[in-house]
Every structure is written in C-alpha cells, then in structure tokens.
Amino acid sequence: MGISPIGWLHTLGSLPAIPLAAYMLVKHGRIVPESRAGRAYFWFMLLGVLTVYPIAHQPISSIIATITLVVLLVGYGISRWSAARRFGKYIETVSLSLSVFFLMIPTVSESLRRLPVGKPLVTDLKDPLLLGVQGALFLALIVGVPLQMRALRRRKSVQAKAGR
C-alpha cells in the first residue's frame, strides 16, 4: 500500500472524525462543537488537515486542506465573536457541514482508489462509481444544509416562544 509514517498518522488520525460526524448528525442533526463528540471531532479533523500538507502530491490536496481548515476554524470560532450572535449558529452549522463534506470527498476518493489492495474499485478519477459517490455526497450537502437551517430556525422560534 506504500503509506509513509506521516501518511499513517494522517489516515489513522483523521479516521475517527467520520464516525464522530455521523453520530452528531444523527443525534443532533448537526455538528455540535460544545459537545464531547464535537471537541473530539475538532482535534481529529485538525490532525487530519494539518498532516495533509507534508503528504500532498497534488496542489488540489493542499487547496482542499486549506479550505477545510478555514471552515473548521470558522465553525468552531464563530461563537466567540459577539457580532455574530444573531447568525452564529447558522454560520457554525454551514461551516461544519462543509468540513464533513471536505473530509468525505478525499476519503471516498482515496478509499475507492486504494481498496481492495491490489485490485482497487476505481482506477481513474473520472470513474462513474467515484463520480456517483461524490455526487451523492454533494447532494447530501445541498439537501442537508437547508434542512439544518430549517431545524435551527424552528428551535430558535420555540425558544423565543418559551422565553415570553
């Protein structure tokens, strides 16, 4: 398989972010930074993103890593910015949903291009299977984010009514 030690650190370090994201999306409908799972997600994602730079073989890898790092930091930092009080949860949710998307795109690409060892499912970046899975991830993003926004709006409305 030919993975360097930093490649293993990247792979094994970022892998836990996937089930953590899935758990929070199922349980809360979004990534929740202040939860225990949310804090773990941040550290595993940060490890995964930062270890891309020394192993990236193509410029697009560094670009995706940088975008992922930005949305991760925005998602986790927006609540600390008082000017974002009104829209902070929305920005946080969109940013962290994007972080999951940017985690899954290379994960799927690399997994399908490397596994099973010796006879990978995909050998070309334009393979219909790979494009289909990437399309499904994009569809999940463009359907999921508006549903998350709607749920946040409803929660805010219920909280406002309860506070009266």
Side-chain angles (χ1 to χ4, degrees), residues 41-162:
Y41 175 79
F42 174 81
W43 291 110
F44 286 119
M45 282 293 291
L46 190 63
L47 177 61
V49 167
L50 295 178
T51 54
V52 166
Y53 296 103
I55 62 171
H57 296 289
Q58 301 168 347
I60 190 66
S61 300
S62 295
I63 293 167
I64 291 172
T66 301
I67 293 168
T68 305
L69 181 59
V70 168
V71 297
L72 185 67
L73 294 175
V74 166
Y76 278 82
I78 194 73
S79 66
R80 291 174 172 78
W81 191 39
S82 62
R85 175 170 254 131
R86 184 171 177 199
F87 296 108
K89 281 286 183 222
Y90 299 101
I91 295 168
E92 173 186 284
T93 300
V94 171
S95 294
L96 296 178
S97 293
L98 284 167
S99 78
V100 174
F101 177 74
F102 290 130
L103 166 67
M104 293 310 299
I105 290 293
T107 299
V108 165
S109 296
E110 288 298 309
S111 297
L112 291 177
R113 289 175 45 221
R114 291 179 183 245
L115 300 173
V117 176
K119 193 171 182 335
L121 294 171
V122 171
T123 56
D124 186 292
L125 290 174
K126 294 181 181 172
D127 186 284
L129 174 62
L130 178 59
L131 295 176
V133 173
Q134 289 174 338
L137 289 170
F138 183 67
L139 183 63
L141 178 71
I142 63 171
V143 169
V145 167
L147 290 174
Q148 290 174 315
M149 298 298 101
R150 190 169 129 204
L152 283 174
R153 222 176 0 258
R154 283 186 176 167
R155 257 184 244 141
K156 201 172 188 179
S157 175
V158 167
Q159 289 172 346
K161 287 179 184 176

